[in-house]
Every structure is written in C-alpha cells, then in structure tokens.
Amino acid sequence: EGELNGIVRRFSPDGGLVFYGEYRDNVPYGEVCSYDEWGGMVCGVVDKKGELTGREISYIYPDRKHALTGLFREGRLVRAVPSIVREFNNETNCYQCKTADEMTITYDPSTKLRISKSPKQPDHYEQYYVCVRTSLIPGAGEGLFAKRTLSPNQVISFYNGIRVSHDVVNKRSWLENANTISLDEEIVIDVPVEYNQIETYCASLAHKANHSPHPNSYYDRFIHPRFGRIKCIRAMREILPREEVTVDYGYIHVNTENEIDLPEWYTQTVKGN
C-alpha cells in the first residue's frame, strides 16, 4: 500500500466515478474533479491540503453546459456567479467556463422556517430548460413546461422548500400539503401556500409540475450546490419543446387516526385510470 502518485480515478461501490485528477505524495494536486452520484461535479485547482478551496472553483451541472464559478470551501459553494461551460473534455475533464451573469449565488439551504434567503433568484440551469405556464390539464392552474427538447433521464427541475417533519405534514389538511414531497424518512420538503406563485418564489420550479397517471417524468434525489439535499425531476422519455412536464405524485398520506387520506381530485384520477 504505497502512496498515490499520478493520475487517479476513484469509483463508488456501484461503479460511478467520484474523483478524477492527479495525486502527488498521496494528496490531490493541481486541477481535479469531484463527482456526486446525481450527476453534478465540482472542479478546480486544489489548495495545498488537496481541497477544492479557492476563488476559481466551478460546480458543473449534469448537462455539462451550465456551471456556478467562484468561491468554494472544501468543495462547498460559498458564493459564485452563473457561468457557461465553453469546452468540456469527458476523458480529461478539462473545461473552460465563461461568466453568464453577474448575479451572485450563495449557499442557501432551507430551514423549517426559511425557504430561501433569495426566493426570487432563479436557477440558471433550470430556467434554461423549463418555464411555468397555464397547465393544459383542466382545473390544474399552472404547470411546468419544456422550453427545449429534454433527453431521457435528464435533470429537468429542482424541488426546494422548507424542511418539516412527516408528523407535521400528517397533521395538516391536503390544502396545506399541496406542494409537499418526502425527502427521506425524517424530512418533507414543503413549498408553503404563500410561495406558490412565481411572483413570490421562483428559486426552484419542480413544485409546479402537475400529476398525471401517464407521466413523462419522475422524481429523484439531487445534491444542489445552492440548496443542498433536495429532490429533482428527471425526464422518463424525450420531452419536446412546449410539452407539459408531468409526474406521478404517488400520494400516500396517513392522518392522525392512522387512516389513508387522499385528496378528492387524486382519488377521482386514480378511479378514472
């Protein structure tokens, strides 16, 4: 078991690439890339400790076209600006980014009380691919639509919100739970009613996707550079421009009497299909 020197590729137990770059004397050196399991990556020149810390570090989104470039500390965003990846080599992971917007993005995970420090600050990856319009589904209000062709399994949109417990959600009515999604066994992501309109909240848009018994997309987990651990929406198949993005809500709600409780519109949809 000698020291690591030279080009190193590290893989997760399931075979996914988690690191690419050079090591010298068992420490990452020079320009390296660190990958998360959901498709994002953090790239840049490491500091003397081998950490992705500095003012020219980039988080590159899964499409390898959009990025956030700026100050990162040990691989975590501190503050950055949206940028566009002009060149990206999949074999060497060499890349070049060009600033796309002077809007400063900071690390902004939600809490049980605060959805975002900047609720009207959009995600430049998300706004490139989707937008909110009047839904084609009768009575559904607004919906999420593709702005350009989306590929199968592509990340489409992000689902951020305040973080509440399942117990809190289960004690509320469906009217209060219109925009909730389970993150894990403990946490539910919730976009409260007062943030339901894009005029008050547009930092993420996945809560605008409507239910369909024949969806073209599905929910997945994601690690977002700004929001941290959240949910996202991925395409199940190719989605064409101006096509509405739909998902299967898969509602399961247990009320305080330990009974299955579902909204009337959802029950009728299930019966009709």
Side-chain angles (χ1 to χ4, degrees):
E1 296 185 8
E3 291 186 340
L4 288 174
N5 283 285
I7 298 300
V8 172
R9 289 182 175 87
R10 288 206 310 266
F11 296 88
S12 64
D14 62 1
L17 183 65
V18 297
F19 177 90
Y20 177 89
E22 184 179 354
Y23 265 69
R24 290 189 183 180
D25 300 325
N26 219 39
V27 177
Y29 177 87
E31 192 166 303
V32 306
C33 291
S34 176
Y35 301 77
D36 67 54
E37 60 184 307
W38 312 112
M41 57 191 293
V42 180
C43 300
V45 177
V46 296
D47 64 9
K48 294 180 180 180
K49 297 180 181 180
E51 299 286 355
L52 280 163
T53 296
R55 297 182 180 277
E56 294 294 331
I57 308 295
S58 293
Y59 170 85
I60 300 179
Y61 286 85
D63 67 348
R64 303 299 184 255
K65 297 178 181 178
H66 294 81
L68 295 175
T69 301
L71 177 61
F72 283 69
R73 186 171 293 117
E74 296 183 358
R76 174 178 286 183
L77 170 69
V78 178
R79 60 180 178 272
V81 295
S83 56
I84 299 297
V85 181
R86 293 302 185 191
E87 297 180 23
F88 187 86
N89 188 311
N90 284 308
E91 293 185 2
T92 64
N93 292 317
C94 291
Y95 70 98
Q96 291 184 359
C97 289
K98 181 179 180 180
T99 299
D101 196 319
E102 295 301 326
M103 172 178 60
T104 300
I105 308 294
T106 61
Y107 184 55
D108 186 23
S110 63
T111 68
K112 64 181 179 180
L113 298 176
R114 188 192 69 217
I115 193 168
S116 172
K117 290 180 289 187
S118 303
K120 298 181 183 180
Q121 188 177 60
D123 182 276
H124 84 129
Y125 172 96
E126 185 177 50
Q127 68 177 353
Y128 179 78
Y129 290 109
V130 296
C131 63
V132 176
R133 297 175 181 165
T134 301
S135 175
L136 301 176
I137 301 171
E142 293 178 324
L144 193 66
F145 288 80
K147 294 172 71 173
R148 57 197 76 243
T149 301
L150 306 174
S151 303
N153 295 315
Q154 179 180 343
V155 175
I156 297 173
S157 186
F158 303 115
Y159 207 126
N160 179 55
I162 65 170
R163 296 166 191 258
V164 297
S165 69
H166 285 270
D167 285 342
V168 168
V169 170
N170 289 338
K171 291 175 182 178
R172 302 190 313 198
S173 69
W174 276 109
L175 185 63
E176 297 173 286
N177 289 335
N179 295 315
T180 57
I181 187 170
S182 175
L183 179 62
D184 54 35
E185 293 182 356
E186 297 181 358
I187 298 172
V188 174
I189 295 175
D190 176 24
V191 180
V193 174
E194 60 267 29
Y195 291 111
N196 193 42
Q197 302 301 315
I198 59 173
E199 290 79 15
T200 54
Y201 179 76
C202 60
S204 62
L205 299 175
H207 63 286
K208 288 296 185 179
N210 286 310
H211 168 79
S212 171
H214 308 291
N216 56 25
S217 305
Y218 64 98
Y219 293 118
D220 198 4
R221 289 177 288 174
F222 196 79
I223 300 175
H224 194 280
R226 174 181 171 187
F227 303 122
R229 287 196 313 122
I230 56 170
K231 284 289 185 76
C232 71
I233 292 177
R234 290 183 186 269
M236 295 176 66
R237 56 164 175 80
E238 182 178 82
I239 299 175
L240 300 178
R242 296 181 295 279
E243 185 176 353
E244 184 165 3
V245 174
T246 58
V247 289
D248 181 354
Y249 284 180
Y251 275 146
I252 297 177
H253 185 273
V254 180
N255 62 23
T256 54
E257 283 73 40
N258 205 34
E259 300 172 335
I260 298 296
D261 179 28
L262 298 171
E264 180 63 24
W265 68 263
Y266 183 79
T267 303
Q268 294 303 319
T269 301
V270 172
K271 287 181 179 178
N273 292 273

